[in-house]
Amino acid sequence: MNQVKNLNQKRVCDISDDRKTLFIRRGDCVTEVRANDDGTLIISHRKDQQLS
C-alpha cells in the first residue's frame, strides 16, 4: 500500500499496490473505493473494529 499525503504532510488515504483500490479512514469508519475494468466504481463503507 502507498500512502497519499496532502500539502500539510497529513495522511489522506492509502492506495493499493495494483492502484485499483483506495482506502479513506476517518475515525473508525473506512471507505473503500474500487475501480472496475469497465471504468465504474464500487464504493463501500464499514466500521473498523478497534483493538482492545
Side-chain angles (χ1 to χ4, degrees), residues 1-4 11 13-25 30-32 46:
M1 289 234 203
N2 300 313
Q3 292 182 4
V4 177
R11 185 176 179 181
C13 62
D14 295 319
I15 299 177
S16 65
D17 292 331
D18 63 0
R19 301 187 58 85
K20 290 189 176 187
T21 308
L22 177 78
F23 298 95
I24 303 168
R25 179 184 302 269
V30 177
T31 300
E32 183 176 334
R46 70 175 189 272

Side-chain angles (χ1 to χ4, degrees), residues 1 8 12 39:
M1 289 234 203
N8 295 326
V12 178

